[in-house]
Amino acid sequence: MKRMRPLIYLVALLLPSSFCKAQSVLDSVLDTRPHAWWGSMVVGVASGDTLFTRNAARSFVPASVTKLFTTAAVLDQLGPDYRYVTRLYAEGMQTGDVLEGNLLVRGAGDPSTGAAGDDWMDLFHAFADSLLALGIQEVRGDLIGDDNVFDDAPLGADWSWEDLVYGYAAQISGLTFYDAVVDLHAYPTKPGARGELSITPDSGNFLMVDNQTLTLPRGQELVEGHTRIPESNRIVVSSQVPVGRSDPEAVAVHNPTLYFVHGLRTVLASRNIHVHGQLLDVDDLSLDPDYSAARVIASHTSAPLSELVATVNKESHNLYAEHLLKTLGRERPEPDDFEPGSAAMGLEASMRTYENAQIETDRLQLVDGSGLSRKNLITPAMTIALLRYMALHPNPEVRDAFLSSLAVGGQDGTLEYRFIRNSPGYGLVRAKTGTLGNVNSLAGYLTQNDGSLLAFVIFANHFQGPHAAIREIQESFINELIDLPLEGNN
């Protein structure tokens, strides 16, 4: 060991003083939680100079920081102006106000159709308007949802079975509605009595909700209870809700394609358009629909990809991320054995972007688009390479769409209540958060007080205890960077 000291001393002399200072300061911040496994890197975007590194070549579970990789690839390859078009077709002849054949909705993979919110029925009312404009008030045939733009895998690889009832693990489908969830809200009545439930949206008899709630006396602890019977839409709500409280929950539905057509029929009926046939998933048919023999009745065009990517990154929307990944696998299929419209094909296509970013792709392991899987493994150095590539992207529209999609510290998205006003990082941090059990991540950009732009990654794996303590360390780490100099950075 003594023989090594002169060499170590020489290396220290050769390093920029800014690096040595930052390494010491930032190491001490992370060391306040020594039992977490930390991986981090900070680099000047313009210069590429490294300000800090810790386990930067080691693999970490990134959680939702995975979404940076998904959204970078789709923006890079499809462009920020890409849009989905969902179409309503009619088969058969029209006699008076009667359509003698089927109605078909051909999904394009748009995750935002009938998005949860105040205007979720607008799409269905627009379809109804188009039918009424043609004088159609009865449909003798079936109402069919076609989700074949994607493969039939409804879940990401190796998602935890415990997550599958909740809206953040909603099923993936080429035709979806209301984020593939139902909003259930349990309200108390009288102590000892069953509570009341509200259900949004109204989708006819698609769901069977079993109300097993219990009202507790005021001041007792709320106990949540939500179960969806596997491969069904029977949902059991067993929450115990004290007087003065309520229990809202978004529960994932089974088969979003059928959910869509049930919701559409409900709205059509409210507009006096009656469908006499069955409600079907295209997979229930013996033959695929012949669209050359059908006519387009209506179409719906999505918001541009730039807006959908902002939903993914600001709100950490898992369903949108999974749809975007499969969309890339449909639009940019590689000459490979993977199925177009599959997550595997989307990941194969994504490698083009990662190779352009000079990422070591043979060590990059991604299995989904959202980060729900613990099989995703990336390094801090890979993440930095991606962040620099997107911040310096040759297409300024791609660059701006990516940067503006990230949550801003203290202002919006998943950072709205972090880096709050009076924090040094308020308004200066644009980043993606990531959270799983024993995993907490933060990666993005920081604008220093002198205008320099830094790319940073902070991964914490294998820690115990509350996430709040890890988030405090991450924020202290970023706040220390505000004034630290980086030689050669512009």
Side-chain angles (χ1 to χ4, degrees), residues 30-31 33-40 54-61 377-380 438-441 458-464 470 474:
L30 299 184
D31 286 340
R33 192 65 178 262
H35 299 298
W37 179 244
W38 292 104
S40 181
R54 180 158 171 169
N55 295 321
R58 298 295 184 97
S59 294
F60 288 80
V61 177
L377 291 173
I378 62 178
T379 70
N438 313 110
V439 174
N440 199 290
S441 305
I458 315 171
F459 290 149
N461 282 192
H462 306 298
F463 63 88
Q464 294 179 332
I470 298 296
Q474 290 171 343

Side-chain angles (χ1 to χ4, degrees), residues 154-178:
L155 304 172
D158 296 286
W159 286 3
S160 171
W161 68 268
E162 294 175 325
D163 293 334
L164 302 185
V165 67
Y166 298 109
Y168 60 79
Q171 293 185 10
I172 310 155
S173 170
L175 181 64
T176 198
F177 157 63
Y178 203 78

Side-chain angles (χ1 to χ4, degrees), residues 113-137:
T113 46
D118 295 335
D119 57 353
W120 62 267
M121 293 189 296
D122 286 358
L123 169 64
F124 293 161
H125 280 295
F127 282 0
D129 289 340
S130 296
L131 290 167
L132 291 173
L134 294 172
I136 297 174
Q137 291 191 297

Side-chain angles (χ1 to χ4, degrees), residues 129-414:
D129 289 340
S130 296
L131 290 167
L132 291 173
L134 294 172
I136 297 174
Q137 291 191 297
E138 288 190 59
V139 178
R140 295 289 188 192
D142 301 325
L143 178 54
I144 302 165
D146 185 346
D147 55 16
N148 281 342
V149 67
F150 291 164
D151 69 356
D152 288 329
L155 304 172
D158 296 286
W159 286 3
S160 171
W161 68 268
E162 294 175 325
D163 293 334
L164 302 185
V165 67
Y166 298 109
Y168 60 79
Q171 293 185 10
I172 310 155
S173 170
L175 181 64
T176 198
F177 157 63
Y178 203 78
D179 295 345
V181 304
V182 59
D183 286 327
L184 301 176
H185 210 133
Y187 297 93
T189 52
K190 295 181 180 180
R194 181 171 295 172
E196 295 180 344
L197 288 179
S198 71
I199 303 172
T200 305
D202 178 7
S203 56
N205 61 355
F206 181 71
L207 300 169
M208 295 175 290
V209 181
D210 185 357
N211 182 359
Q212 297 183 13
T213 60
L214 176 66
T215 301
L216 301 178
R218 186 182 298 274
Q220 291 196 15
E221 184 177 355
L222 186 150
V223 180
E224 297 182 358
H226 303 87
T227 304
R228 179 170 51 77
I229 307 305
E231 303 297 312
S232 81
N233 281 303
R234 182 176 175 232
I235 299 169
V236 179
V237 184
S238 56
S239 298
Q240 299 178 29
V241 186
V243 173
R245 300 280 303 278
S246 66
D247 178 30
E249 188 63 66
V251 174
V253 303
H254 176 65
N255 195 331
T257 302
L258 280 180
Y259 190 37
F260 186 105
V261 294
H262 273 79
L264 176 56
R265 184 177 68 173
T266 299
V267 171
L268 293 180
S270 74
R271 301 286 300 277
N272 294 316
I273 302 171
H274 302 289
V275 178
H276 295 285
Q278 301 180 76
L279 304 183
L280 299 174
D281 183 322
V282 70
D283 294 336
D284 298 327
L285 305 179
S286 57
L287 296 173
D288 288 340
D290 180 8
Y291 287 102
S292 66
R295 66 186 188 277
V296 176
I297 297 296
S299 63
H300 170 76
T301 302
S302 74
L305 182 61
S306 57
E307 292 187 24
L308 303 181
V309 163
T311 298
V312 173
N313 284 337
K314 284 186 181 291
E315 305 301 331
S316 202
H317 204 303
N318 293 329
L319 182 69
Y320 278 46
E322 299 299 340
H323 274 240
L324 296 187
L325 179 64
K326 288 194 174 188
T327 298
L328 189 59
R330 167 63 62 175
E331 296 288 354
R332 298 291 185 270
E334 292 283 336
D336 211 303
D337 295 332
F338 300 120
E339 181 180 354
S342 65
M345 184 63 84
L347 290 167
E348 189 73 8
S350 297
M351 292 300 166
R352 288 198 202 99
T353 296
Y354 308 148
E355 288 168 358
N356 289 339
Q358 299 184 335
I359 290 172
E360 192 178 356
T361 55
D362 60 340
R363 289 194 58 222
L364 173 63
Q365 179 171 298
L366 295 174
V367 300
D368 70 11
S370 64
L372 273 177
S373 175
R374 291 180 179 273
K375 282 194 171 181
N376 295 310
L377 291 173
I378 62 178
T379 70
M382 292 173 183
T383 312
I384 287 292
L386 183 80
L387 291 169
R388 288 198 69 225
Y389 175 71
M390 294 305 290
L392 300 173
H393 199 280
N395 183 337
E397 293 181 352
V398 169
R399 178 195 65 215
D400 293 345
F402 184 76
L403 268 63
S404 63
S405 76
L406 302 176
V408 180
Q411 297 183 10
D412 62 13
T414 56

